Amino acid sequence: MTLSSLSSHELDFIDDDEFHEECGVVGIWTTQDAASLTALGLHALQHRGQEASGIVTYDGNQFHTHRGLGLVGEVFDDPRVIASLPGGMGIGHNRYATTGETQLRNVQPLYGDFEFGGFAVAHNGNLTNAQLLKQSLVRRGCLFQSSTDSEVFIHLIAISLYSNVIDRFIDAIKQVQGAYSLVALSKDMLIAARDPLGVRPLILGKLPYSQDENSWVVASETCALSSMGADFVRDIEPGEVIIIDHDGVRSIHPFADNTSSRFCIFEYVYFARPDSVIENKSVYMARKKIGAELAKESHVEADVVVPVPDSGVPAAIGYAEASNIPFELGIIRSHYIGRTFIEPTDQIRNLGVKLKHATNRAVINGKRVILIDDSIVRGTTSKKIVEMVRAAGATEVHLRIASPPTQHSCFYGIDTPAEEKLLAHTHSIDEMCKLIGADSLGFVSADGLYRALQEDKRNNQNPQYCDACFTGDYPIPLTDHDMQLVKSK
């Protein structure tokens, strides 16, 4: 692999102080060119995973697969690749590894030949009992070809005693714990499913311009629909299984009444693309409202509000509007560092933040600055950005964060450090402020975050979202993690 195609893990000398996106999935049913549309959708979902990408299509006779390491534009840069994926049905996947190393064998969609024919699956999320299930499956003779938890679905479907694809699929998802949004493809149907708590997003859309009126799209976010000119139909519900075939769309609710919404609140804070709409909420407007709540809760007198780009921009706009302080782009981000040709020496590691961000001295020099960022992970990036802003002439630097302190690891599909490496887990806010070097530090409260999302406040008895990274309230059992803790004692 060349330096020009380094994965995000291999570039962690630059971005190891950020939360990393999970994965993105796309499914297309009965259009004339499923591969091209799937690739367009994956381009729009590139923010959800930059390590690898893959597409599987079916042309009515056989399945076709292309997977590779790198960005969508790199994996599918040759028109001959798309031409090698004929068919009107397809699924695609962008990967950021939360389980399993970065190798081609872990790139999704995963495909298997079953007695009922070919079957491909793509998964966004993380299973919390994957290791326990894998041990059981290996004892039964299953041979795993990858180290990703997503392969568990393939083997559970393979050994199921049910006769048809849907019953096997439902049998499989009833055995897993964790967060999952799935798209799967057989020769007869496209299947989409969300876990019973709907932690990860998944939406249904329609292609209005297709010659076939029965043309549908499933994707992680609405921004994928926009890229291919599809219309939004609705969010797929928690615990719902959607089956799309030649008869149209039908819905199954295999978990009966054991479903409720605990959607990942961090999608609104950081992960989803700002132009997406999730659960009837504009992500962009939600982030602006979070910024406004932040201004109400921890305002400080200053001359200018400056976002840490790009994720801090909407919240900074909301903060500026609520506080009547001018908004300025005091930090400019380079969008090309992910493809650096520079060898990552120790000196470059120390300059990593400066490679990614540059200060706009004209709007910072001599000013009291309020810096707005989405979160603090390890704190190393925040410290360097505060130093950069001071070096650009700021007289005061007040750091405001558009989420509560991140004190706990995520086990549901977001790549986060271990708790002991999260700054907020080991330090008080005052200690964090001193370490980072800001004049003051403030976070939006959990209730403020909920108010921004049109809730009165967090219901401690029945939280409306999954906010485990802030509260430690994990709504899904952490079976594998708990087993490891027991073994380590």
Side-chain angles (χ1 to χ4, degrees), residues 114-117 140 155-175 254:
F114 297 82
E115 59 180 330
F116 57 77
R140 296 185 63 174
H155 291 287
L156 290 175
I157 292 168
I159 67 170
S160 175
L161 299 178
Y162 288 93
S163 59
N164 64 61
V165 177
I166 289 299
D167 288 341
R168 286 177 179 236
F169 182 85
I170 291 172
D171 184 31
I173 63 175
K174 282 187 172 182
Q175 296 178 63

Side-chain angles (χ1 to χ4, degrees), residues 282-464:
S282 161
V283 174
Y284 177 79
M285 294 305 298
R287 290 177 185 169
K288 283 188 65 177
K289 290 176 182 177
I290 295 170
E293 288 291 337
L294 188 57
K296 293 175 186 176
E297 293 184 344
S298 60
H299 180 59
V300 64
E301 291 300 319
D303 302 307
V304 63
V305 175
V306 172
V308 178
D310 289 325
S311 56
V313 172
I317 294 173
Y319 190 107
E321 290 178 353
S323 62
N324 291 315
I325 297 176
F327 168 92
E328 295 288 356
L329 294 177
I331 299 174
I332 309 300
R333 180 184 177 184
S334 169
H335 291 270
Y336 306 101
I337 189 60
R339 289 295 166 269
T340 180
F341 57 88
I342 302 173
E343 189 73 31
T345 62
D346 288 341
Q347 181 180 6
I348 294 301
R349 292 174 198 275
N350 293 331
L351 293 174
V353 173
K354 291 186 178 180
L355 286 172
K356 198 170 186 178
H357 298 99
T359 50
N360 184 2
R361 189 179 182 89
V363 300
I364 290 176
N365 188 34
K367 303 289 181 61
R368 297 170 297 173
V369 176
I370 297 175
L371 273 179
I372 308 291
D373 206 353
D374 61 271
S375 60
I376 293 178
V377 185
R378 302 173 190 264
T380 54
T381 296
S382 299
K383 176 179 173 63
K384 291 175 182 177
I385 287 178
V386 168
E387 290 173 350
M388 288 171 57
V389 173
R390 287 200 190 280
T395 58
E396 297 176 12
V397 182
H398 303 276
L399 184 58
R400 294 294 180 267
I401 305 300
S403 64
T406 305
Q407 303 182 66
H408 306 278
S409 300
C410 176
F411 296 92
Y412 303 138
I414 297 172
D415 186 32
T416 58
E419 284 187 342
E420 61 270 17
K421 294 184 179 180
L422 293 169
L423 191 65
H425 184 78
T426 56
H427 294 73
S428 68
I429 292 178
D430 287 342
E431 290 170 338
M432 294 171 69
C433 182
K434 184 175 181 180
L435 188 149
I436 290 169
D439 290 283
S440 70
L441 172 63
F443 295 80
V444 73
S445 68
D447 285 349
L449 181 57
Y450 273 78
R451 284 193 298 270
L453 299 177
Q454 301 172 337
E455 304 285 351
D456 289 337
K457 62 179 181 178
R458 185 182 192 271
N459 184 334
N460 291 323
Q461 285 70 45
N462 185 26
Q464 303 92 317

Side-chain angles (χ1 to χ4, degrees), residues 20-263:
H20 293 289
E21 297 82 344
E22 322 99 323
C23 298
V25 296
V26 176
I28 303 289
W29 176 262
T30 61
T31 71
Q32 293 181 330
D33 192 4
S36 292
L37 288 174
T38 302
L40 285 173
L42 293 177
H43 269 289
L45 297 173
Q46 187 71 86
H47 60 287
R48 301 189 72 87
Q50 298 90 47
E51 286 190 346
S53 186
I55 293 175
V56 173
T57 63
Y58 182 68
D59 64 5
N61 293 305
Q62 60 180 325
F63 286 85
H64 307 272
T65 302
H66 184 79
R67 302 178 300 161
L69 300 175
L71 302 175
V72 177
E74 297 167 339
V75 177
F76 298 100
D77 61 343
D78 189 336
R80 291 173 295 183
V81 172
I82 294 295
S84 71
L85 298 168
M89 298 168 279
I91 62 173
H93 186 269
N94 283 342
R95 172 176 168 82
Y96 184 86
T98 55
T99 64
E101 63 268 58
T102 304
Q103 294 183 4
L104 188 58
R105 65 180 181 142
N106 288 331
V107 180
Q108 299 185 41
L110 301 178
Y111 175 81
D113 283 309
F114 297 82
E115 59 180 330
F116 57 77
F119 191 82
V121 64
H123 168 214
N124 171 28
N126 203 48
L127 304 184
T128 58
N129 67 336
Q131 292 306 311
L132 182 64
L133 287 172
K134 185 174 181 179
Q135 291 172 12
S136 174
L137 289 165
V138 169
R139 283 195 296 267
R140 296 185 63 174
C142 295
L143 300 176
F144 280 75
Q145 303 300 310
S146 73
S147 59
T148 176
D149 64 340
S150 306
E151 191 178 350
V152 167
F153 290 109
I154 294 286
H155 291 287
L156 290 175
I157 292 168
I159 67 170
S160 175
L161 299 178
Y162 288 93
S163 59
N164 64 61
V165 177
I166 289 299
D167 288 341
R168 286 177 179 236
F169 182 85
I170 291 172
D171 184 31
I173 63 175
K174 282 187 172 182
Q175 296 178 63
V176 302
Q177 296 173 345
Y180 57 83
S181 285
L182 295 170
V183 292
L185 184 68
S186 75
K187 61 184 179 65
D188 298 314
M189 66 189 71
L190 174 69
I191 307 171
R194 288 178 80 188
D195 67 80
L197 297 185
V199 176
R200 304 263 70 86
L202 197 63
I203 53 97
L204 177 68
K206 201 170 192 310
L207 291 163
Y209 55 82
S210 173
Q211 295 179 1
D212 186 345
E213 293 183 0
N214 187 30
S215 295
W216 301 89
V217 182
V218 175
S220 295
E221 295 182 36
T222 58
C223 62
L225 303 183
S226 301
S227 70
M228 60 183 79
D231 295 329
F232 172 74
V233 175
R234 65 178 178 87
D235 290 282
I236 294 173
E237 298 173 3
E240 183 180 17
V241 176
I242 292 284
I243 300 109
I244 306 174
D245 57 22
H246 293 294
D247 294 324
V249 178
R250 56 194 170 103
S251 173
I252 299 175
H253 292 268
F255 297 98
D257 297 327
N258 297 321
T259 62
S260 62
S261 181
R262 290 293 297 272
F263 183 68

